[in-house]
Amino acid sequence: MPCEISVLHSGSRRFRPVVRIGNWFEDHCLEQEKIRHFKKMRDKGELLVEKARTLLDNFHKEIVLAAPKETVIFGAVVQLMPMYLDIENMDTSDLKPALSVLINERVVRSSQSINDDCELSVAPAGRPCVRNSFRIISGDDTDRTGEHIKFGQRFRLECLETDNDPIWLYSAPKQCNLFQSISTTFDSHKHGELNLPLGLVHRSKCGCPGDVPKAYTNWFCINRDPQKRFETDGMPLPSNAPLVIVHAATNKNLAAENVAIQTLFGPEFLVSVQNYRNAFKREIWKNVWMISNGHPTNANSEYRENF
């Protein structure tokens, strides 16, 4: 009997709480490997939190717009801003929305700068930055820097802070099977039909067979008043004034949708290429924009009051 008690006591001392059992050595090695991998990624700057910080710094880098002028010229850095957003139960008077580049979550690890995998949205623009500013260039591959842009004249919108291969804004008609030519995370509809989305494309991928035709990157502006379009065609394009931006290849208008989406930059609104007109064949607020170069004006408030 005493022998049995001594064996039990020795067993209890052998398997005290401090004794490790099971695959403790494998678990310890796995934890150490996780720590080494974390430090290695941290030293290389490949942690997701660091990439997200770099992405925000790159996209929110402050940009100086073109010198304020009464008209828009080629080569100017501008913002494309909706004149008015009619969002239910929301005051948008101080929102200052602008067309902005949006990066989706699936490419954050691979790129932290603007690329052709990015999408477009309408986002609050407290100040001009890389993601909400564009350079206007000629649509016929001719250097027209300094010339006045006219109503009906083709132009392209070029992203800023890109490398030797510029990135242009474009849209494209549907394919023969009615699928979209541009892949996007979010879609908008009009009467159940998918609207045409916006996308970005490198200049090197335009013009060659199988790539995006250069015609898909061309845009032009028309007067928002249908009765004045004929007489204003060919006149200089005013800055900070309400107008309609048309995609040349599809003859559809740039449209700000009243659909909110959640993005890496916060809540924003969808943008598409679609015609929105009332019973009098006049474009409604979704199709009315202004090209802003920082020139002070009260056109926005006047339009809101008229609307």
Side-chain angles (χ1 to χ4, degrees), residues 34-105:
K34 288 181 179 179
I35 295 175
R36 285 194 296 269
H37 181 66
F38 173 82
K39 291 182 178 180
K40 182 179 179 181
M41 293 186 65
R42 182 194 60 187
D43 296 339
K44 291 184 177 181
E46 295 180 355
L47 292 177
L48 183 59
V49 62
E50 295 181 349
K51 290 187 175 183
R53 188 181 298 114
T54 303
L55 182 146
L56 293 176
D57 292 340
N58 292 339
F59 275 62
H60 289 157
K61 181 179 179 181
E62 191 169 355
I63 291 295
V64 178
L65 298 180
K69 295 180 180 296
E70 296 291 340
T71 57
V72 183
I73 61 174
F74 284 109
V77 177
V78 298
Q79 289 181 300
L80 275 64
M81 310 181 72
M83 292 298 299
Y84 177 66
L85 286 179
D86 186 16
I87 310 299
E88 186 177 0
N89 299 326
M90 182 177 181
D91 183 15
T92 60
S93 57
D94 298 329
L95 196 60
K96 296 181 180 180
L99 183 67
S100 304
V101 178
L102 168 67
I103 191 168
N104 50 48
E105 298 179 3

Coordinates of all heavy atoms in Angstrom, one line a residue, residues 34-105:
K34 N 6.0 32.2 -37.3 CA 5.0 33.3 -37.5 C 5.7 34.6 -37.2 O 5.6 35.6 -37.9 CB 3.8 33.1 -36.7 CG 2.8 32.0 -37.2 CD 1.6 31.9 -36.4 CE 0.6 30.8 -36.9 NZ -0.6 30.7 -36.1
I35 N 6.4 34.6 -36.0 CA 7.1 35.9 -35.6 C 8.2 36.2 -36.6 O 8.3 37.4 -37.0 CB 7.6 35.7 -34.2 CG1 6.5 35.5 -33.2 CG2 8.5 36.9 -33.8 CD1 7.0 35.2 -31.8
R36 N 9.0 35.3 -37.1 CA 10.0 35.5 -38.0 C 9.5 36.0 -39.3 O 10.0 37.0 -40.0 CB 10.9 34.3 -38.3 CG 11.8 33.9 -37.1 CD 12.9 32.9 -37.6 NE 12.2 31.6 -37.9 CZ 12.0 30.6 -37.0 NH1 12.4 30.8 -35.7 NH2 11.5 29.5 -37.3
H37 N 8.3 35.4 -39.8 CA 7.7 35.9 -41.0 C 7.2 37.3 -40.9 O 7.3 38.1 -41.8 CB 6.6 34.9 -41.4 CG 5.9 35.2 -42.7 ND1 6.5 35.2 -43.9 CD2 4.6 35.7 -42.9 CE1 5.6 35.5 -44.8 NE2 4.5 35.8 -44.2
F38 N 6.6 37.6 -39.7 CA 6.1 38.9 -39.5 C 7.2 40.0 -39.5 O 7.1 41.0 -40.2 CB 5.4 39.0 -38.1 CG 5.0 40.4 -37.7 CD1 3.8 40.9 -38.2 CD2 5.7 41.1 -36.9 CE1 3.4 42.2 -37.8 CE2 5.4 42.4 -36.5 CZ 4.2 42.9 -37.0
K39 N 8.3 39.7 -38.9 CA 9.5 40.6 -38.9 C 10.0 40.8 -40.3 O 10.4 41.9 -40.7 CB 10.5 40.1 -37.9 CG 10.1 40.2 -36.5 CD 11.2 39.7 -35.5 CE 10.9 39.8 -34.1 NZ 11.9 39.4 -33.2
K40 N 10.1 39.7 -41.0 CA 10.6 39.8 -42.4 C 9.7 40.7 -43.3 O 10.3 41.5 -44.0 CB 10.7 38.4 -43.0 CG 11.3 38.3 -44.4 CD 11.4 36.9 -44.9 CE 11.9 36.8 -46.3 NZ 12.0 35.4 -46.8
M41 N 8.4 40.5 -43.2 CA 7.5 41.3 -44.0 C 7.6 42.8 -43.5 O 7.4 43.7 -44.3 CB 6.1 40.8 -43.9 CG 5.9 39.4 -44.5 SD 4.2 38.9 -44.5 CE 3.4 40.2 -45.6
R42 N 7.7 43.0 -42.2 CA 7.8 44.3 -41.7 C 9.1 45.0 -42.2 O 9.0 46.2 -42.6 CB 7.8 44.3 -40.1 CG 7.9 45.7 -39.5 CD 8.2 45.5 -38.0 NE 9.5 44.9 -37.8 CZ 10.0 44.6 -36.6 NH1 9.3 44.8 -35.5 NH2 11.2 44.0 -36.6
D43 N 10.2 44.3 -42.2 CA 11.4 45.0 -42.7 C 11.4 45.3 -44.2 O 12.0 46.3 -44.6 CB 12.6 44.0 -42.4 CG 12.9 43.8 -40.9 OD1 12.4 44.6 -40.1 OD2 13.5 42.7 -40.6
K44 N 10.6 44.5 -44.9 CA 10.5 44.7 -46.4 C 9.3 45.7 -46.7 O 9.2 46.1 -47.9 CB 10.2 43.4 -47.1 CG 11.4 42.5 -47.1 CD 11.1 41.2 -48.0 CE 12.4 40.3 -48.1 NZ 12.1 39.1 -48.9
G45 N 8.6 46.1 -45.7 CA 7.4 47.0 -45.9 C 6.3 46.3 -46.6 O 5.5 47.0 -47.3
E46 N 6.1 45.0 -46.4 CA 5.1 44.3 -47.1 C 3.8 44.0 -46.2 O 3.0 43.2 -46.6 CB 5.6 43.0 -47.6 CG 6.7 43.2 -48.7 CD 7.2 41.9 -49.2 OE1 6.8 40.8 -48.7 OE2 8.0 41.9 -50.2
L47 N 3.8 44.5 -45.0 CA 2.6 44.3 -44.2 C 1.4 45.1 -44.8 O 1.6 46.2 -45.3 CB 2.9 44.8 -42.8 CG 3.9 44.0 -41.9 CD1 4.1 44.7 -40.6 CD2 3.5 42.6 -41.8
L48 N 0.3 44.5 -44.6 CA -0.9 45.1 -45.2 C -1.2 46.5 -44.6 O -1.6 47.4 -45.4 CB -2.1 44.2 -45.0 CG -3.5 44.7 -45.6 CD1 -3.3 44.9 -47.1 CD2 -4.6 43.7 -45.2
V49 N -0.9 46.7 -43.3 CA -1.2 48.0 -42.7 C -0.2 49.0 -43.3 O -0.6 50.2 -43.5 CB -1.0 47.9 -41.2 CG1 0.4 47.5 -40.8 CG2 -1.4 49.2 -40.6
E50 N 1.0 48.6 -43.6 CA 2.0 49.6 -44.2 C 1.6 49.9 -45.7 O 1.8 51.0 -46.1 CB 3.4 49.0 -44.1 CG 3.9 48.9 -42.7 CD 5.3 48.3 -42.6 OE1 5.8 47.9 -43.7 OE2 5.9 48.4 -41.5
K51 N 1.2 48.8 -46.4 CA 0.7 49.1 -47.8 C -0.5 50.0 -47.8 O -0.6 50.8 -48.7 CB 0.4 47.7 -48.5 CG 1.7 46.9 -48.7 CD 1.4 45.7 -49.5 CE 2.6 44.9 -49.9 NZ 2.4 43.8 -50.8
A52 N -1.4 49.8 -46.9 CA -2.6 50.7 -46.8 C -2.2 52.1 -46.5 O -2.7 53.0 -47.1 CB -3.6 50.1 -45.8
R53 N -1.2 52.3 -45.7 CA -0.7 53.6 -45.3 C 0.0 54.3 -46.6 O -0.3 55.4 -46.9 CB 0.2 53.6 -44.2 CG 0.7 54.9 -43.6 CD 1.6 54.8 -42.5 NE 1.0 54.1 -41.4 CZ 1.4 53.0 -40.9 NH1 2.4 52.3 -41.5 NH2 0.9 52.4 -39.9
T54 N 0.8 53.5 -47.3 CA 1.4 54.0 -48.5 C 0.4 54.3 -49.5 O 0.5 55.3 -50.2 CB 2.4 52.9 -49.0 OG1 3.3 52.6 -48.0 CG2 3.1 53.4 -50.3
L55 N -0.7 53.5 -49.7 CA -1.7 53.7 -50.6 C -2.4 55.1 -50.3 O -2.7 55.9 -51.3 CB -2.7 52.6 -50.6 CG -3.9 52.6 -51.6 CD1 -4.2 51.2 -52.1 CD2 -5.1 53.2 -51.0
L56 N -2.8 55.3 -49.1 CA -3.5 56.5 -48.7 C -2.6 57.7 -49.0 O -3.1 58.8 -49.4 CB -3.9 56.4 -47.3 CG -5.0 55.4 -46.9 CD1 -5.3 55.4 -45.4 CD2 -6.3 55.7 -47.7
D57 N -1.3 57.6 -48.7 CA -0.4 58.7 -48.9 C -0.3 59.0 -50.4 O -0.3 60.2 -50.8 CB 1.0 58.4 -48.3 CG 1.0 58.4 -46.8 OD1 0.1 58.9 -46.2 OD2 1.9 57.7 -46.3
N58 N -0.2 58.0 -51.2 CA -0.1 58.2 -52.7 C -1.4 58.8 -53.3 O -1.3 59.7 -54.1 CB 0.2 56.9 -53.4 CG 1.6 56.4 -53.0 OD1 2.5 57.1 -52.6 ND2 1.8 55.1 -53.2
F59 N -2.5 58.3 -52.9 CA -3.8 58.7 -53.5 C -4.2 60.1 -53.0 O -4.9 60.8 -53.7 CB -4.9 57.7 -53.2 CG -4.9 56.6 -54.2 CD1 -3.9 55.7 -54.3 CD2 -6.1 56.4 -54.9 CE1 -3.9 54.7 -55.2 CE2 -6.1 55.3 -55.9 CZ -5.0 54.5 -56.0
H60 N -3.8 60.4 -51.7 CA -4.2 61.7 -51.1 C -3.1 62.8 -51.2 O -3.2 63.8 -50.5 CB -4.6 61.5 -49.7 CG -5.9 60.8 -49.5 ND1 -6.3 60.1 -48.4 CD2 -7.0 60.7 -50.4 CE1 -7.5 59.6 -48.6 NE2 -7.9 59.9 -49.8
K61 N -2.1 62.5 -52.0 CA -1.1 63.5 -52.2 C -1.7 64.8 -52.8 O -2.4 64.7 -53.9 CB 0.0 63.0 -53.1 CG 1.2 63.9 -53.4 CD 2.2 63.3 -54.3 CE 3.4 64.3 -54.5 NZ 4.4 63.7 -55.4
E62 N -1.4 65.9 -52.2 CA -2.0 67.2 -52.6 C -1.5 67.6 -54.0 O -0.4 67.5 -54.3 CB -1.8 68.2 -51.6 CG -2.6 69.5 -51.8 CD -2.5 70.4 -50.6 OE1 -1.9 70.1 -49.6 OE2 -3.1 71.6 -50.7
I63 N -2.5 68.1 -54.8 CA -2.2 68.6 -56.2 C -2.6 70.0 -56.3 O -3.7 70.4 -55.8 CB -3.0 67.7 -57.2 CG1 -2.4 66.3 -57.2 CG2 -2.9 68.3 -58.6 CD1 -1.0 66.2 -57.7
V64 N -1.8 70.8 -57.0 CA -2.2 72.2 -57.3 C -2.9 72.2 -58.7 O -2.3 71.8 -59.7 CB -0.9 73.1 -57.4 CG1 -1.3 74.5 -57.7 CG2 -0.2 73.0 -56.0
L65 N -4.1 72.7 -58.7 CA -4.9 72.8 -59.9 C -4.3 73.9 -60.8 O -3.4 74.7 -60.4 CB -6.3 73.1 -59.7 CG -7.1 72.1 -58.8 CD1 -8.5 72.5 -58.6 CD2 -7.1 70.7 -59.5
A66 N -4.8 73.9 -62.1 CA -4.3 75.0 -63.0 C -4.7 76.3 -62.5 O -5.6 76.5 -61.7 CB -5.0 74.7 -64.4
A67 N -4.0 77.3 -63.0 CA -4.2 78.7 -62.6 C -5.7 79.1 -63.0 O -6.2 78.7 -64.0 CB -3.3 79.7 -63.3
P68 N -6.4 79.7 -62.1 CA -7.8 80.0 -62.3 C -8.0 80.8 -63.6 O -7.3 81.9 -63.8 CB -8.2 80.8 -61.1 CG -7.3 80.4 -60.0 CD -6.0 80.1 -60.7
K69 N -8.9 80.3 -64.5 CA -9.2 81.0 -65.7 C -10.7 80.9 -65.9 O -11.4 80.1 -65.4 CB -8.4 80.4 -66.9 CG -6.9 80.6 -66.8 CD -6.3 79.9 -68.1 CE -4.8 80.1 -68.0 NZ -4.3 81.5 -68.1
E70 N -11.2 81.8 -66.8 CA -12.6 81.8 -67.1 C -12.9 80.6 -68.1 O -14.1 80.2 -68.1 CB -13.0 83.1 -67.8 CG -12.9 84.3 -66.9 CD -13.9 84.3 -65.8 OE1 -14.9 83.6 -65.9 OE2 -13.7 85.0 -64.8
T71 N -11.9 80.1 -68.8 CA -12.2 79.0 -69.7 C -11.2 77.9 -69.4 O -10.2 78.0 -68.6 CB -11.9 79.4 -71.2 OG1 -10.6 80.0 -71.3 CG2 -13.0 80.5 -71.6
V72 N -11.4 76.7 -70.0 CA -10.6 75.5 -69.8 C -9.6 75.4 -70.9 O -10.0 75.5 -72.1 CB -11.5 74.2 -69.6 CG1 -10.6 73.0 -69.3 CG2 -12.5 74.4 -68.6
I73 N -8.4 75.1 -70.6 CA -7.4 74.9 -71.7 C -6.8 73.5 -71.6 O -6.8 72.8 -70.6 CB -6.3 76.0 -71.5 CG1 -5.6 75.8 -70.2 CG2 -6.8 77.4 -71.7 CD1 -4.3 76.7 -70.0
F74 N -6.2 73.1 -72.7 CA -5.5 71.8 -72.8 C -4.3 71.9 -71.9 O -3.6 72.9 -71.9 CB -5.1 71.5 -74.2 CG -6.3 71.0 -75.1 CD1 -6.8 71.8 -76.1 CD2 -6.9 69.8 -74.9 CE1 -7.9 71.4 -76.9 CE2 -7.9 69.3 -75.6 CZ -8.4 70.1 -76.6
G75 N -4.0 70.7 -71.3 CA -2.8 70.7 -70.4 C -3.1 71.1 -69.0 O -2.3 70.9 -68.1
A76 N -4.3 71.6 -68.7 CA -4.7 72.0 -67.4 C -5.0 70.8 -66.5 O -5.6 69.8 -66.9 CB -5.8 73.0 -67.4
V77 N -4.7 71.0 -65.2 CA -5.1 70.0 -64.2 C -6.4 70.5 -63.6 O -6.4 71.6 -63.0 CB -4.0 69.8 -63.1 CG1 -4.5 68.8 -62.0 CG2 -2.7 69.3 -63.8
V78 N -7.4 69.7 -63.7 CA -8.8 70.1 -63.3 C -9.5 69.0 -62.5 O -8.9 67.9 -62.3 CB -9.6 70.5 -64.5 CG1 -9.0 71.6 -65.2 CG2 -9.8 69.2 -65.4
Q79 N -10.6 69.3 -61.9 CA -11.5 68.4 -61.3 C -12.8 68.3 -62.0 O -13.3 69.4 -62.5 CB -11.7 68.7 -59.8 CG -10.5 68.5 -58.9 CD -10.8 68.9 -57.5 OE1 -11.2 70.0 -57.2 NE2 -10.7 67.9 -56.6
L80 N -13.4 67.1 -62.1 CA -14.8 67.0 -62.7 C -15.7 66.8 -61.5 O -15.7 65.8 -60.8 CB -14.8 65.8 -63.6 CG -14.4 66.1 -65.1 CD1 -12.9 66.4 -65.1 CD2 -14.6 64.8 -65.9
M81 N -16.6 67.8 -61.3 CA -17.5 67.8 -60.2 C -18.9 67.9 -60.6 O -19.3 68.7 -61.4 CB -17.1 69.0 -59.3 CG -15.7 69.1 -59.0 SD -15.2 70.6 -57.9 CE -15.9 70.0 -56.3
P82 N -19.8 67.0 -60.0 CA -21.2 67.1 -60.3 C -21.7 68.5 -59.7 O -21.3 68.9 -58.6 CB -21.8 65.9 -59.5 CG -20.7 65.0 -59.2 CD -19.5 65.9 -59.1
M83 N -22.6 69.1 -60.5 CA -23.2 70.4 -60.0 C -24.1 70.2 -58.8 O -24.2 71.1 -58.0 CB -24.0 71.0 -61.1 CG -23.1 71.5 -62.3 SD -21.9 72.8 -61.8 CE -23.0 74.1 -61.2
Y84 N -24.7 69.0 -58.7 CA -25.7 68.8 -57.6 C -25.9 67.3 -57.5 O -25.9 66.5 -58.4 CB -27.0 69.5 -58.0 CG -28.1 69.3 -57.0 CD1 -28.1 69.8 -55.8 CD2 -29.3 68.6 -57.4 CE1 -29.1 69.6 -54.9 CE2 -30.3 68.4 -56.5 CZ -30.2 68.9 -55.3 OH -31.3 68.7 -54.4
L85 N -26.0 66.9 -56.2 CA -26.4 65.5 -55.9 C -27.7 65.4 -55.2 O -27.8 66.1 -54.1 CB -25.3 64.8 -55.1 CG -24.0 64.5 -55.7 CD1 -23.0 63.9 -54.7 CD2 -24.2 63.5 -56.9
D86 N -28.7 64.7 -55.7 CA -30.0 64.7 -55.1 C -30.1 63.3 -54.3 O -30.6 62.3 -54.9 CB -31.1 64.8 -56.2 CG -32.5 64.8 -55.5 OD1 -32.6 65.1 -54.3 OD2 -33.4 64.6 -56.3
I87 N -29.6 63.3 -53.1 CA -29.5 62.1 -52.3 C -30.6 62.2 -51.2 O -30.6 63.2 -50.5 CB -28.2 61.9 -51.7 CG1 -27.1 61.9 -52.7 CG2 -28.1 60.5 -51.0 CD1 -27.2 60.9 -53.8
E88 N -31.5 61.3 -51.1 CA -32.6 61.3 -50.2 C -32.0 61.3 -48.7 O -31.1 60.6 -48.4 CB -33.5 60.1 -50.4 CG -34.8 60.2 -49.5 CD -35.7 59.0 -49.8 OE1 -35.3 58.2 -50.6 OE2 -36.7 58.9 -49.2
N89 N -32.6 62.2 -47.9 CA -32.3 62.3 -46.5 C -30.8 62.6 -46.3 O -30.2 62.2 -45.3 CB -32.6 61.0 -45.7 CG -34.1 60.7 -45.8 OD1 -35.0 61.6 -45.8 ND2 -34.4 59.4 -45.8
M90 N -30.2 63.4 -47.2 CA -28.8 63.8 -47.1 C -28.6 65.1 -47.6 O -29.0 65.5 -48.7 CB -27.9 62.7 -47.8 CG -26.4 63.0 -47.6 SD -25.5 61.7 -48.5 CE -23.8 62.3 -48.1
D91 N -27.9 66.0 -46.8 CA -27.5 67.3 -47.3 C -26.2 67.3 -48.0 O -25.2 67.0 -47.3 CB -27.5 68.3 -46.1 CG -27.2 69.7 -46.5 OD1 -27.3 70.0 -47.7 OD2 -26.9 70.5 -45.6
T92 N -26.2 67.5 -49.3 CA -24.9 67.5 -50.0 C -24.4 68.8 -50.4 O -23.5 68.9 -51.3 CB -25.2 66.6 -51.3 OG1 -26.2 67.3 -52.1 CG2 -25.6 65.2 -51.0
S93 N -24.9 69.9 -49.8 CA -24.4 71.2 -50.1 C -23.0 71.5 -49.8 O -22.3 72.2 -50.6 CB -25.3 72.3 -49.4 OG -25.2 72.1 -48.0
D94 N -22.4 70.9 -48.8 CA -21.0 71.0 -48.4 C -20.2 69.8 -48.7 O -19.1 69.7 -48.2 CB -20.9 71.3 -46.9 CG -21.7 72.6 -46.5 OD1 -21.7 73.6 -47.3 OD2 -22.2 72.7 -45.4
L95 N -20.7 68.9 -49.5 CA -20.0 67.7 -49.8 C -18.8 67.9 -50.7 O -17.8 67.2 -50.6 CB -21.0 66.6 -50.3 CG -20.5 65.2 -50.3 CD1 -20.2 64.7 -48.9 CD2 -21.6 64.3 -51.0
K96 N -19.0 68.8 -51.7 CA -18.0 69.0 -52.8 C -17.5 67.7 -53.4 O -16.3 67.4 -53.4 CB -16.7 69.7 -52.2 CG -17.1 71.1 -51.6 CD -15.8 71.8 -51.1 CE -16.1 73.2 -50.5 NZ -14.9 73.8 -50.0
P97 N -18.4 67.0 -54.1 CA -18.1 65.7 -54.7 C -17.3 66.0 -56.0 O -17.4 67.0 -56.7 CB -19.4 65.1 -55.0 CG -20.3 66.3 -55.2 CD -19.9 67.4 -54.3
A98 N -16.5 65.0 -56.3 CA -15.6 65.0 -57.5 C -15.4 63.6 -58.0 O -15.4 62.7 -57.3 CB -14.3 65.7 -57.3
L99 N -15.2 63.5 -59.3 CA -14.9 62.2 -59.9 C -13.5 61.8 -59.4 O -12.5 62.5 -59.4 CB -14.8 62.3 -61.4 CG -14.5 61.1 -62.2 CD1 -15.7 60.1 -62.1 CD2 -14.3 61.4 -63.7
S100 N -13.4 60.6 -58.8 CA -12.2 60.1 -58.2 C -11.9 58.7 -58.6 O -12.7 57.9 -58.9 CB -12.4 60.2 -56.6 OG -12.8 61.5 -56.2
V101 N -10.6 58.4 -58.5 CA -10.1 57.1 -58.7 C -10.2 56.3 -57.4 O -9.9 56.7 -56.4 CB -8.6 57.1 -59.2 CG1 -8.1 55.7 -59.4 CG2 -8.5 57.9 -60.5
L102 N -10.6 55.0 -57.6 CA -10.9 54.1 -56.5 C -10.2 52.8 -56.7 O -10.3 52.2 -57.8 CB -12.4 53.9 -56.3 CG -12.9 52.8 -55.4 CD1 -12.5 53.2 -54.0 CD2 -14.3 52.6 -55.5
I103 N -9.4 52.4 -55.7 CA -8.7 51.1 -55.8 C -9.5 50.1 -55.0 O -10.0 50.3 -53.9 CB -7.3 51.2 -55.3 CG1 -6.5 49.9 -55.6 CG2 -7.2 51.5 -53.8 CD1 -5.0 50.0 -55.4
N104 N -9.7 48.9 -55.6 CA -10.5 47.9 -54.9 C -9.6 47.0 -54.0 O -8.3 47.0 -54.1 CB -11.2 47.0 -55.9 CG -10.3 46.4 -57.0 OD1 -9.3 45.9 -56.7 ND2 -10.8 46.6 -58.3
E105 N -10.2 46.2 -53.1 CA -9.5 45.5 -52.1 C -8.6 44.4 -52.6 O -7.5 44.1 -52.0 CB -10.4 45.0 -51.1 CG -11.3 46.0 -50.4 CD -12.3 45.4 -49.4 OE1 -12.2 44.2 -49.2 OE2 -13.1 46.2 -48.8

